Amino acid sequence: MSRRLRRLPVLLLPLLLGTTLVACGSDGGSDKDDTSSSDALHGIAITGDVGKAPKVKWDGKLDVSKTATTVVTKGDGDKIADGDQVAAHIWIGNGTTQKQAYSTYDSGQTETIPASADLNPVFKDAVLDQTVGSRVAVTATAKDAFGDSGNAQMGIGNKDTVLIVVDLIDVTTVLKGPDGKKQSAPSWAPGLVTDGDKVTGLDFKGTPEPNGKLRSATLIEGSGDAVKKGQTITVNYFGQVYDAKKPFDESYSKTPASFAIGVGGVVPGWDKTLVGVKVGSRVVLAIPPADGYGKKGNAQAGIKGTDTLYFVVDILAAS
């Protein structure tokens, strides 16, 4: 989802990792190293249990020129495949200063990583085809991990090196589309223009004008578990202002979006309606300004303060 749409779902991890986990580094600069595990870690000792903050003993300044991935502990859980949603703890250290730069263990909350071939190559080998319960270490240049500028927020310069430790805690399979029993659409809902499971448009012909109330209806009732407050859900969505000719945003032509629900990270209308919906469901929403962007609207998205937002949302996973 577009960055400009504040408090709408975004397919990015928190800002610290947003430029890390998408493929935005230098092309071809992070070829997988074929050295042994010992050589790949350059004498660094990583100890402690998977699921707890790693204890890292450095062996002087980390000097690397290309990326190497090492399985420190091999888990016996499910193998992670392209399209899965992975809950992982991530620890990052500056190889030049030998100091911690970032750790999800500080907050006690895992990151949700959409496993994909589009991951930055620095992370791809640490996630795809690994098994749940594993601890994987990556040594790389800051340029390969974060791009030409490094990551100033982490205190990592573009000439530094990094050690990244990834604990793979859990995995959830992401559905390809809605999966469940079809329900009758309510009279207030627009018609859907579809291409297979993909929503490509909303047809407002004959749709009554919005009445200022927050509305939701299930078009396909999934057979999965109900979404709980605070979970990370993965969705496809299509958003359009009432009677507009085109969407202001959608994910069906891109990739599904993952975000926490019920905790204020998205517009209130999403938090109020998507908690309790079963995985596999397709729902339609009508969100008045009070539960969307308020009286100011969102000029960057072309949304006025009087606009009612209509969404179709497919719940593909929750973890």
Side-chain angles (χ1 to χ4, degrees), residues 93-104:
N94 186 319
T96 304
T97 64
Q98 294 89 57
K99 293 181 179 180
Q100 175 183 306
Y102 176 82
S103 175
T104 59

Side-chain angles (χ1 to χ4, degrees), residues 21-24 80-84 113-125 127-129 255:
L21 294 178
V22 293
C24 64
I80 297 169
D82 194 339
D84 285 346
I113 303 172
S116 167
D118 292 332
L119 285 174
N120 182 320
V122 169
F123 281 87
K124 185 170 66 174
D125 289 335
V127 177
L128 281 177
D129 296 326
T255 55

Side-chain angles (χ1 to χ4, degrees), residues 139-206:
T139 53
T141 65
K143 182 178 179 180
D144 282 345
F146 300 105
D148 291 338
S149 300
N151 192 313
Q153 288 176 296
M154 290 187 186
I156 296 175
N158 62 352
K159 301 297 184 182
D160 290 333
T161 55
V162 293
L163 168 67
I164 303 166
V165 181
V166 182
D167 284 357
L168 303 169
I169 305 301
D170 199 6
V171 64
T172 301
T173 299
V174 178
L175 299 175
K176 300 298 183 183
D179 182 20
K181 185 178 180 181
K182 290 186 178 180
Q183 309 288 316
S184 298
S187 59
W188 57 263
L192 305 189
V193 181
T194 60
D195 180 8
D197 283 335
K198 296 180 179 180
V199 177
T200 59
L202 299 182
D203 183 2
F204 288 97
K205 184 178 180 180

Side-chain angles (χ1 to χ4, degrees), residues 70-89:
T70 304
V71 177
V72 178
T73 303
K74 185 173 179 59
D76 58 4
D78 292 337
K79 190 174 183 179
I80 297 169
D82 194 339
D84 285 346
Q85 178 175 280
V86 182
H89 272 299

Side-chain angles (χ1 to χ4, degrees), residues 186-190 204-211 215 242-243 286 308 310:
S187 59
W188 57 263
F204 288 97
K205 184 178 180 180
T207 302
E209 292 187 3
N211 62 2
R215 288 171 154 175
Y242 175 76
D243 215 20
T308 293
Y310 284 76

